[in-house]
Amino acid sequence: MTTAAALAILIAAAWFWSNILMLAFGAVLIAIALRAGAQGLHRHLGLNIKLGVLTVVLAFVAVVALVVMLAGQPVADQFGQLVQGLPKSWDRVREWASGNPIASVIREQVEASDQMEQGASKLAGNIPDIMGKLTGMLNMMLGGLSSVLLMIMVAIFVALDAPTYRRGAIRLVPPAHRPRARHILAELGDQLGRWMAGQALDMAIVAVLAGVGLWLLGVPLALLLALIAGITNIVPIIGPVFSGGIAALFALSQGFDSALYVALLFTAIQMFEGNILMPLIQSYAVHLPPALTIIAIMAFGALFGFAGVILAAPLLIVTMLLVRRIYVEGMLGDTGSDED
């Protein structure tokens, strides 16, 4: 009964404090990465851990500033071209839809709906709603930016004095279980660090493959589309579909053949990643079963929103490890591995 009540309280807290929990979890992930970099500097250069953390932060800021200086303007120009090219791509889609019976029916229904909502009075009545939506979007963007900055600050403080926070977390556990809790925390940090290293390598390789492939196909904005492919690849399954869809949509401005080749390119990249690249990375990092990954995306997305979708993979790692160490081994006493 006590365990059920504690579980109910934890679920309620996760529901009401979801934003804070996601911010804290993201900060812990960043802190693990900073701490790993600082430990590497300590091993190779003998640098103090705290000074190493600050060095890693300054190095990251310098790299970002250098990338912005060298590639910021080209990427901005390409983004402008992408926005300008989307209407042309949409016209291609409409032309295709006009010759497709099913798409024609859908288009007629949409146009009929649009005609019913036309009129100057209707438009005038919608102006406050439009302004309200724009204001809401601006507030959301500012809120997201402030949350990211706050998360980075928290991550730096945690990385600078990680042992203090680790000891504080362990003191919440009954004394008899603290040695095991210490071991589980260390294992969590190791697995999350390995996942982040593997994910960074995976994102970089996908971005390079997408960029080279788009360049060979003669698709404009290869750099920007490759960056989108690399960044969105952090979200399993959904990210590659999203980036591939954007690239194929923009390639429509050059014709359906170009869009088809881009779709085939992204399909080939994902087949290579899923069957060759990720197994190699997961042999070093953490193996995540595909079915559980999809369930985690849906579950954590429903519980924590978009942040839960982005962080679904590391949250799944934490969940799997805690279930295995606390429930399967601790409560059930099963320390073996059954194989069918």
Side-chain angles (χ1 to χ4, degrees):
M1 186 68 180
T2 304
T3 303
L7 183 60
I9 292 174
L10 287 176
I11 294 175
W15 178 266
F16 288 108
W17 297 336
S18 60
N19 293 334
I20 298 177
L21 288 176
M22 288 298 95
L23 188 147
F25 186 69
V28 169
L29 290 177
I30 298 174
I32 291 174
L34 294 176
R35 194 79 179 179
Q39 290 173 346
L41 292 176
H42 176 72
R43 286 194 303 269
H44 295 93
L45 302 178
L47 202 62
N48 179 273
I49 293 294
K50 291 186 177 181
L51 186 58
V53 170
L54 296 177
T55 302
V56 171
V57 172
L58 293 177
F60 178 77
V61 172
V63 169
V64 171
L66 181 62
V67 170
V68 170
M69 290 176 57
L70 296 178
Q73 190 59 44
V75 170
D77 294 340
Q78 289 191 6
F79 183 77
Q81 296 175 24
L82 176 61
V83 174
Q84 294 175 2
L86 285 177
K88 186 176 180 180
S89 301
W90 180 246
D91 291 339
R92 292 271 187 174
V93 174
R94 296 185 63 180
E95 290 176 6
W96 169 81
S98 63
N100 187 289
I102 298 178
S104 297
V105 173
I106 297 175
R107 179 172 57 84
E108 291 173 0
Q109 294 295 327
V110 173
E111 289 178 353
S113 177
D114 291 340
Q115 290 175 359
M116 293 178 61
E117 295 183 357
Q118 287 179 351
S121 59
K122 185 70 177 179
L123 179 61
N126 285 339
I127 289 178
D129 294 336
I130 295 173
M131 295 302 297
K133 290 180 179 179
L134 291 176
T135 303
M137 290 178 61
L138 180 60
N139 291 334
M140 183 177 65
M141 292 175 62
L142 293 176
L145 180 60
S146 62
S147 296
V148 170
L149 293 176
L150 180 61
M151 182 174 63
I152 294 175
M153 292 179 60
V154 172
I156 293 174
F157 284 116
V158 172
L160 287 173
D161 200 10
T164 298
Y165 298 101
R166 190 183 301 113
R167 286 194 299 268
I170 292 174
R171 286 181 66 88
L172 298 175
V173 179
H177 300 288
R178 286 177 184 175
R180 183 167 179 78
R182 191 175 292 107
H183 174 75
I184 292 175
L185 278 181
E187 190 175 4
L188 275 174
D190 179 67
Q191 289 201 9
L192 289 174
R194 289 176 178 270
W195 173 82
M196 284 188 288
Q199 190 63 44
L201 178 61
D202 178 70
M203 292 167 63
I205 293 176
V206 167
V208 171
L209 291 176
V212 172
L214 292 171
W215 176 73
L216 291 176
L217 291 174
V219 178
L221 314 183
L223 174 60
L224 179 59
L225 294 174
L227 288 176
I228 294 174
I231 293 173
T232 56
N233 205 62
I234 193 174
V235 183
I237 302 168
I238 297 176
V241 174
F242 176 77
S243 60
I246 291 179
L249 177 62
F250 182 73
L252 279 173
S253 61
Q254 296 185 316
F256 282 100
D257 290 344
S258 180
L260 177 61
Y261 293 146
V262 169
L264 291 175
L265 168 66
F266 275 79
T267 301
I269 290 175
Q270 291 309 311
M271 290 181 64
F272 166 76
E273 182 205 19
N275 296 297
I276 299 177
L277 180 60
M278 283 309 296
L280 290 175
I281 292 176
Q282 289 178 346
S283 64
Y284 164 78
V286 182
H287 174 67
L288 295 178
L292 287 182
T293 302
I294 297 174
I295 294 174
I297 291 174
M298 295 187 294
F300 292 123
L303 186 59
F304 301 119
F306 184 65
V309 173
I310 296 177
L311 298 175
L315 285 170
L316 177 60
I317 292 173
V318 173
T319 302
M320 289 173 58
L321 181 62
L322 292 180
V323 168
R324 183 168 66 250
R325 296 294 182 234
I326 297 177
Y327 178 71
V328 176
E329 296 180 0
M331 298 181 65
L332 300 182
D334 183 2
T335 57
S337 57
D338 296 333
E339 298 182 0
D340 294 332

